[in-house]
């Protein structure tokens, strides 16, 4: 049984054409999957469908064999944690308080219990946020805020993490650290789906790439297969090149 | 941290409950033309009668109304994620006033037709809340645009109230003026009990919702990703706010600034966590209005000024300061 199985998933917004058409893909277990594609290809919409925030027009999305859109909202959030691009920057809470929002699907009591605090401590440890725990979220840098949101998703203790352009506003150091974190989380048993425009980093760090174009899955496979220069040029309309460094590392560049 | 939050919550609950209890216990003895405490102790007329039939119900009404206005202010600020959202700024109070004035103008008995005025005020508040929900959810209006819409609703409702006032004839016109001034007058214990029966369950529901209100502060996408049905909670919250504002406005008339001043003042003391802020706003709002009512009947005794004047004179400058420091 796959951890995630998407079958023939289609969606369109009212009054607009189809955003996603017949998406079929799956993930058997822990891995880092980069979802790439041009603007408007349907990447964020796909995450919204997987997290149950939108209902598909047709097709199914099964998580551990069960239809995501039949489950209760809280039950689904115990299996899938969705991290949007950003939340309002002026949220007046501390880092610990933001992280603890991940425990809402585990119980609606007025106060968090010991299990909730144990999950928070683990998430703080994994995301190396110990020095920030008492600081206000609104006072953090973009990279620190992104780590806090990932920590909140970890605190949710869901096996599947969906991240929508988490490195959009990060400098190279923070971006590299975030991808290191994703790989570490994969090693801890999480399935990570990351929407990204940073194809070079996706090529280096992801186990697999889902390439979306015009609402369809144009390619699905390891970076070297799913990101062939000819396919990428057809999708993004700029030339791409794979290179091998003297140390044997493979990397991707693009541009005329 | 859990124990720390629990103990802080207990402390805030105790302190705000104490503030409400002390003001409710002390303020009925203060103000006005003074009371003969000896007669009061011996339960002799007229002081004992004044205390039991006028001062006590008035104090309890102020307590309930202050809690309702302040609590609905805190609730609207959470749901719209905007510090300036209050029953007044959203136009809910003005619409409730229009409903009540319509009932006073068109039905015999007017101001004293309590259930009718009550239902009409509720209908007015519900209509505006319906508009807010529709604009927010169907047209995706931002909280800023909803507050601008509130200004338009306020303008329309005020104009219609003035129109009704002009056409109502002398007797009705006097009743409308008296009601519009807004005040915490003595009320029958039966009406007070009915009001409490409506308000207290809503207060309890709001207290139980406070952890979810924290998550609502992060926006719809984040809340939905934590398993919160954002639209359902928003709809329920606005309905609860309409019930609070409509019910109290029907009895007291419009009283401004309580929903703005009290939650903001307390937010600076207890912080943004609604598990602390909501109980503090409910009990603190009650205490605040009881104190304002005592000032209103004491400042120019034996003359009495409407409590809405006192809250506006305190809340108006605070509102300006809030805009300044935002």
């Amino acid at each position: 049984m796959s951890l995630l199985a998407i079958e023939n998933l289609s969606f369109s917004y009212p009054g607009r054409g189809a955003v996603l058409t017949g998406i079929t893909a799956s993930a058997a277990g822990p891995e880092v999957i980069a979802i790439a594609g041009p603007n408007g290809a349907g990447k964020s919409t796909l995450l919204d469908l997987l997290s149950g925030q939108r209902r598909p027009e047709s097709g199914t999305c099964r998580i551990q064999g069960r239809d995501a859109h039949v489950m209760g909202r809280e039950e689904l959030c115990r299996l899938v944690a969705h991290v949007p691009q950003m939340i309002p920057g002026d949220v007046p809470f501390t880092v610990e308080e933001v992280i603890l929002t991940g425990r809402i699907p585990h119980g609606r009591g007025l106060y968090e219990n010991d299990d909730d605090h144990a999950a928070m401590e683990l998430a703080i440890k994994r995301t190396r946020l110990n020095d920030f725990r008492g600081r206000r979220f609104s006072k953090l840098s973009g990279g620190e805020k992104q780590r806090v949101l990932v920590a909140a998703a970890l605190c949710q203790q869901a096996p599947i993490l969906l991240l929508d352009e988490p490195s959009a506003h990060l400098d190279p150091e923070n971006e590299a650290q975030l991808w290191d974190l994703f790989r570490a989380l994969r090693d801890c048993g999480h399935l990570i789906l990351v929407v990204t425009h940073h194809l070079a980093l996706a090529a280096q760090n992801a186990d697999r790439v889902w390439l979306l174009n015009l609402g369809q899955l144009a390619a699905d496979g390891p970076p070297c297969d799913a990101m062939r220069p000819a396919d990428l040029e057809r999708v993004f309309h700029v030339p791409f090149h794979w290179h091998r460094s003297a140390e044997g590392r493979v990397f991707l560049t693009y541009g005329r | 941290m859990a124990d720390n939050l629990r103990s802080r919550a207990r402390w805030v609950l105790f302190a705000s409950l104490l503030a409400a209890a002390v003001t409710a216990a002390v303020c009925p003895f203060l103000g006005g033309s003074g009371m003969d405490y000896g007669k009061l102790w011996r339960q002799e007329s007229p002081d004992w009668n004044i205390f039991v039939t006028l001062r006590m119900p008035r104090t309890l009404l102020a307590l309930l109304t202050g809690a309702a206005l302040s609590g609905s202010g805190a609730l609207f600020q959470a749901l719209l994620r905007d510090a300036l959202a209050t029953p007044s700024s959203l136009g809910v109070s003005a619409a409730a006033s229009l409903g009540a004035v319509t009932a006073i103008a068109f039905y015999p008995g007017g101001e004293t037709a309590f259930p009718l005025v009550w239902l009409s005020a509720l209908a007015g508040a519900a209509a505006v809340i319906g508009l807010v929900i529709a604009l927010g959810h169907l047209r995706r209006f931002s909280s800023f645009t909803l507050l601008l819409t509130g200004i338009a609703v306020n303008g329309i409702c005020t104009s219609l109230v003035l129109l009704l006032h002009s056409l109502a004839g002398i007797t009705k016109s006097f009743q409308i003026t008296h009601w519009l001034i807004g005040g915490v007058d003595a009320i029958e214990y039966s009406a007070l009990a009915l009001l409490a029966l409506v308000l207290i369950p809503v207060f309890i529901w709001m207290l139980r919702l406070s952890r979810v209100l924290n998550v609502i502060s992060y926006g719809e996408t984040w809340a939905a990703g934590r398993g919160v049905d954002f639209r359902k909670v928003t709809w329920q919250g606005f309905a609860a706010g309409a019930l609070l504002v409509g019910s109290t406005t029907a009895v007291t008339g419009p009283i401004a600034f309580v929903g703005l001043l009290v939650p903001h003042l307390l937010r600076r003391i207890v912080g943004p966590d609604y598990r602390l802020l909501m109980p503090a706003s409910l009990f603190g709002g009650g205490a605040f209005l009881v104190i304002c009512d005592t000032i209103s009947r004491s400042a120019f005794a034996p003359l009495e000024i409407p409590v809405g004047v006192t809250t506006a004179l305190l809340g108006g400058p605070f509102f300006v300061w809030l805009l300044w420091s935002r």
Side-chain angles (χ1 to χ4, degrees), chain A residues 4 7 15 30 32 34 36 53 85 99 102 106 108 132 199 246 250:
Chain A
L4 173 69
E7 285 173 30
V32 177
Q53 296 191 32
Q85 269 192 46
I99 294 172
H106 294 268
R108 287 284 177 86
F132 298 88
L199 300 182
V250 176

Short mmCIF file of all heavy atoms in Angstrom, two decimals, chain A residues 4 7 15 30 32 34 36 53 85 99 102 106 108 132 199 246 250:
data_model
loop_
_atom_site.label_atom_id
_atom_site.label_comp_id
_atom_site.label_asym_id
_atom_site.label_seq_id
_atom_site.Cartn_x
_atom_site.Cartn_y
_atom_site.Cartn_z
N LEU A 4 1.20 7.51 -0.43
CA LEU A 4 0.39 8.50 -1.15
C LEU A 4 0.12 7.98 -2.56
O LEU A 4 1.05 7.58 -3.26
CB LEU A 4 1.14 9.83 -1.22
CG LEU A 4 0.53 10.94 -2.08
CD1 LEU A 4 -0.76 11.45 -1.43
CD2 LEU A 4 1.50 12.10 -2.25
N GLU A 7 -4.74 9.41 -8.17
CA GLU A 7 -5.25 8.75 -9.37
C GLU A 7 -6.17 9.68 -10.16
O GLU A 7 -7.23 10.09 -9.65
CB GLU A 7 -6.04 7.48 -8.99
CG GLU A 7 -5.14 6.32 -8.59
CD GLU A 7 -5.94 5.15 -8.06
OE1 GLU A 7 -7.10 4.99 -8.51
OE2 GLU A 7 -5.41 4.42 -7.20
N GLY A 15 -15.32 29.26 -13.46
CA GLY A 15 -15.16 30.32 -14.44
C GLY A 15 -13.81 30.32 -15.15
O GLY A 15 -13.53 31.21 -15.95
N PRO A 30 9.04 7.02 2.42
CA PRO A 30 9.76 8.27 2.62
C PRO A 30 10.64 8.63 1.43
O PRO A 30 11.40 7.78 0.95
CB PRO A 30 10.63 7.99 3.85
CG PRO A 30 10.06 6.79 4.49
CD PRO A 30 9.40 6.00 3.42
N VAL A 32 12.11 12.57 -0.85
CA VAL A 32 11.93 14.01 -1.09
C VAL A 32 11.54 14.16 -2.55
O VAL A 32 12.31 13.80 -3.44
CB VAL A 32 13.21 14.80 -0.80
CG1 VAL A 32 13.02 16.27 -1.12
CG2 VAL A 32 13.63 14.64 0.66
N ALA A 34 10.42 16.86 -5.41
CA ALA A 34 10.30 18.26 -5.79
C ALA A 34 9.22 18.38 -6.86
O ALA A 34 9.21 17.61 -7.83
CB ALA A 34 11.63 18.78 -6.32
N ALA A 36 7.98 20.73 -9.67
CA ALA A 36 8.44 21.88 -10.43
C ALA A 36 7.51 22.14 -11.60
O ALA A 36 6.72 21.28 -11.99
CB ALA A 36 9.86 21.61 -10.93
N GLN A 53 -7.71 20.97 1.30
CA GLN A 53 -8.24 22.34 1.35
C GLN A 53 -9.11 22.65 0.14
O GLN A 53 -9.84 23.64 0.13
CB GLN A 53 -7.10 23.34 1.48
CG GLN A 53 -6.37 23.15 2.79
CD GLN A 53 -5.41 24.26 3.10
OE1 GLN A 53 -5.62 25.40 2.75
NE2 GLN A 53 -4.34 23.93 3.79
N GLN A 85 3.21 29.13 1.59
CA GLN A 85 4.42 29.95 1.33
C GLN A 85 4.79 30.80 2.54
O GLN A 85 5.93 30.88 2.92
CB GLN A 85 4.17 30.86 0.14
CG GLN A 85 4.57 30.23 -1.17
CD GLN A 85 4.59 31.26 -2.29
OE1 GLN A 85 5.12 32.34 -2.12
NE2 GLN A 85 3.99 30.91 -3.41
N ILE A 99 4.73 26.89 16.89
CA ILE A 99 4.99 25.46 16.67
C ILE A 99 3.85 24.62 17.27
O ILE A 99 3.42 23.63 16.68
CB ILE A 99 6.36 25.07 17.27
CG1 ILE A 99 7.48 25.78 16.49
CG2 ILE A 99 6.57 23.56 17.23
CD1 ILE A 99 8.86 25.63 17.09
N GLY A 102 0.63 23.16 15.61
CA GLY A 102 0.62 21.85 14.94
C GLY A 102 -0.08 20.77 15.74
O GLY A 102 -0.37 19.69 15.22
N HIS A 106 -4.58 17.10 17.09
CA HIS A 106 -4.46 16.00 18.05
C HIS A 106 -5.35 16.18 19.27
O HIS A 106 -5.35 15.35 20.16
CB HIS A 106 -3.00 15.85 18.49
CG HIS A 106 -2.12 15.41 17.37
ND1 HIS A 106 -1.83 14.09 17.10
CD2 HIS A 106 -1.49 16.13 16.41
CE1 HIS A 106 -1.04 14.02 16.03
NE2 HIS A 106 -0.83 15.24 15.59
N ARG A 108 -8.62 19.18 20.95
CA ARG A 108 -9.10 20.55 21.02
C ARG A 108 -9.23 21.04 22.47
O ARG A 108 -9.99 21.95 22.74
CB ARG A 108 -10.46 20.66 20.32
CG ARG A 108 -10.37 20.59 18.80
CD ARG A 108 -9.87 21.90 18.22
NE ARG A 108 -9.73 21.83 16.78
CZ ARG A 108 -10.72 22.07 15.92
NH1 ARG A 108 -11.90 22.41 16.35
NH2 ARG A 108 -10.50 21.99 14.62
N PHE A 132 15.70 30.15 19.54
CA PHE A 132 14.67 31.08 19.10
C PHE A 132 13.35 30.87 19.83
O PHE A 132 12.41 31.61 19.62
CB PHE A 132 14.42 30.91 17.60
CG PHE A 132 15.61 31.22 16.75
CD1 PHE A 132 16.55 30.23 16.46
CD2 PHE A 132 15.82 32.49 16.25
CE1 PHE A 132 17.65 30.51 15.67
CE2 PHE A 132 16.92 32.78 15.46
CZ PHE A 132 17.85 31.79 15.18
N LEU A 199 15.26 24.92 -9.61
CA LEU A 199 15.44 23.61 -10.24
C LEU A 199 16.82 23.02 -9.95
O LEU A 199 16.97 21.81 -9.81
CB LEU A 199 15.24 23.74 -11.75
CG LEU A 199 13.85 24.23 -12.18
CD1 LEU A 199 13.75 24.27 -13.69
CD2 LEU A 199 12.77 23.34 -11.62
N ALA A 246 34.54 18.50 -11.56
CA ALA A 246 35.76 17.69 -11.48
C ALA A 246 35.65 16.63 -10.39
O ALA A 246 36.22 15.54 -10.49
CB ALA A 246 36.96 18.60 -11.22
N VAL A 250 27.00 16.28 -10.09
CA VAL A 250 26.18 16.65 -11.25
C VAL A 250 25.34 17.86 -10.87
O VAL A 250 24.80 17.92 -9.76
CB VAL A 250 25.26 15.47 -11.62
CG1 VAL A 250 24.33 15.84 -12.75
CG2 VAL A 250 26.11 14.27 -12.02
#
